[in-house]
Structures are given as C-alpha cells and as structure tokens.
Amino acid sequence: EVQLLESGGGLVQPGGSLRLSCTASEFTFSNYAMTWVRQAPGKGLEWVSAISGRSDNIYYGDSVKGRFRISRDNSKNTLYLQMNSLRAEDTAVYYCAKVRSNFLTDAFDIWGQGTMVTVSS
Amino acid sequence: SYVLTQPPSVSVAPGKTARITCGGNDVGDKSVHWYQQRPGQAPVLVIYYDSGRPSGIPERFSGSNSGNTATLTIYRVEAGDEADYYCQVWDSDSDHLVFGGGTLLTVL
C-alpha cells in the first residue's frame, strides 16, 4: 500500500529547531514531487514548502521562507523539513503529501497522518 | 498574492445536491484541486485538474471551473459527506501553492 509516515514532531521552545521526516513506501519516490502542508488547531490548510523529484525546484510559503528548509533523500525514500527559529504561530499538525506527478501544478493524492508540532515555553 | 475565497459553510439535506464554490481572479485559467477533510483525519483528494475524479471517489463528486469560480458539486449527499472541503491551485506568477479557506459541509 502506498503510504507516507511522518515523524519528528513534538514540543519545542520559541526560537528552537526541529526536523520532521516523512518516509514513503510502495512507490518510486524519486519520480514525484513532494510537499509539506500544515494546519494550526481549528484552522484551515496552509502550504509550507514543495520540492521536485530531483530537488532541482524548491519553493516556500512566505511565512516560513528563510526559517524552514525542505530536502529529500531519494536513496532513503525520505522527505525532510528542517524548521529553525520556531515561533508560536508555527504550532500545527504538519502533513507531508505526495504529488500525483513531478509537476507542482498537480494534486496531492497521498497524505501522511500528520505530526504535531507545538511551539511553547 | 493569489487568493481563493470559499464560503465558510454550506448546508444541505440528505439526498440533495451541494455546491461549494471557490472564487479567484481568473481561476478558470488555473487548475483547481479539491480535498475533503473529515474531523481528525488527513485530507483526501476528491477532484483533480478541475474535474478529474481519483479512483475510489464516488461519481457523485463532480467539479467544474470557469471564469472566476470553480465549483465542487456533490450529488445525492450522504451523511458521510459531512466534512471540510478545500480548493487548491498552484499560482505560477508567484510560484506559490494556495489553498482556499475551506468550507464546512453540514448534512442536515
């Protein structure tokens, strides 16, 4: 079964760092773009970042640009999100999602279950 | 930055038709995708590229996109369709992905 499994969430103090991982299974990981989407408690979906299959195209949402870094290791079928200078407003469930193709105009057909990040002192 | 506008809520009786709109400047020139999110669950893709339907999604789900409005139509609504629905596009002018604010579908 095609699956995504996030890990790495938790409680972190403001200004701290955290690295999320998303491990993929049962599809050729390198053929697909991937993305991170977050959802603050009780709020809607917010796009965080996206990366093409070979990491040659990377994009960030305005609220995280300069603080977060997306990367992938195709040999390990794993997507990462390095989050630095964390703020209270970064508190959210973070989802990784697979794009249907390597084109970021395409839809997200597979989502992970999400990992909670809480930024608080 | 590009903005997608959805009504906060839509209510419909079982067996009737629900229409959820997604407004944006010339959104008809973009490809719109729709996601369903039930409480406590991850989103699920229900419509891609305006009107495509993934395998496993009932034919009751339909999409259209023209001018400044994209629409998700759910025919013969069932209690299990009660969820939040989000539209999404890729804005090539800003190289940003954009979600609408979401619409809560309530089945009366």
Side-chain angles (χ1 to χ4, degrees):
Chain A
E1 178 188 359
V2 175
Q3 197 168 316
L4 297 171
L5 186 63
E6 301 101 335
S7 60
L11 175 64
V12 61
Q13 292 188 340
S17 298
L18 211 56
R19 189 178 83 156
L20 306 183
S21 300
C22 170
T23 303
S25 55
E26 300 301 324
F27 65 96
T28 305
F29 185 65
S30 60
N31 286 354
Y32 298 92
M34 298 290 294
T35 192
W36 289 98
V37 174
R38 69 184 182 183
Q39 187 170 35
K43 302 298 185 182
L45 301 175
E46 180 188 11
W47 172 67
V48 173
S49 183
I51 186 170
S52 59
R54 299 291 180 184
S55 304
D56 42 358
N57 291 297
I58 290 175
Y59 306 96
Y60 296 96
D62 292 341
S63 61
V64 306
K65 193 168 186 177
R67 300 188 298 123
F68 290 11
R69 191 173 84 91
I70 192 172
S71 63
R72 62 191 296 163
D73 185 337
N74 289 340
S75 69
K76 296 182 178 179
N77 290 343
T78 302
L79 175 74
Y80 301 100
L81 185 68
Q82 177 65 43
M83 304 185 295
N84 299 326
S85 303
L86 283 161
R87 307 166 180 167
E89 53 265 36
D90 296 318
T91 294
V93 174
Y94 285 72
Y95 295 101
C96 66
K98 167 188 168 291
V99 183
R100 290 176 67 246
S101 67
N102 199 33
F103 296 102
L104 288 167
T105 54
D106 211 335
F108 309 146
D109 59 346
I110 304 294
W111 294 67
Q113 86 289 350
T115 187
M116 184 70 203
V117 172
T118 303
V119 184
S120 175
S121 55
Chain B
S1 59
Y2 195 76
V3 175
L4 293 173
T5 301
Q6 297 182 235
S9 63
V10 167
S11 299
V12 64
K16 300 299 185 181
T17 298
R19 292 181 176 85
I20 299 173
T21 59
C22 174
N25 187 41
D26 291 328
V27 72
D29 293 336
K30 301 183 185 299
S31 299
V32 178
H33 314 299
W34 290 91
Y35 303 89
Q36 175 195 67
Q37 187 181 33
R38 296 188 173 101
Q41 297 186 18
V44 172
L45 178 65
V46 293
I47 293 290
Y48 62 90
Y49 281 125
D50 298 340
S51 58
R53 196 173 49 250
S55 61
I57 300 301
E59 292 183 7
R60 302 184 296 105
F61 287 79
S62 176
S64 63
N65 185 18
S66 179
N68 292 320
T69 304
T71 303
L72 172 68
T73 303
I74 310 172
Y75 299 97
R76 301 179 299 283
V77 167
E78 303 173 354
D81 298 331
E82 192 162 280
D84 289 311
Y85 290 84
Y86 295 90
C87 58
Q88 176 247 307
V89 301
W90 178 264
D91 178 35
S92 56
D93 290 335
S94 63
D95 281 338
H96 276 42
L97 190 141
V98 181
F99 283 104
T103 298
L104 174 63
L105 176 66
T106 299
V107 182
L108 301 171

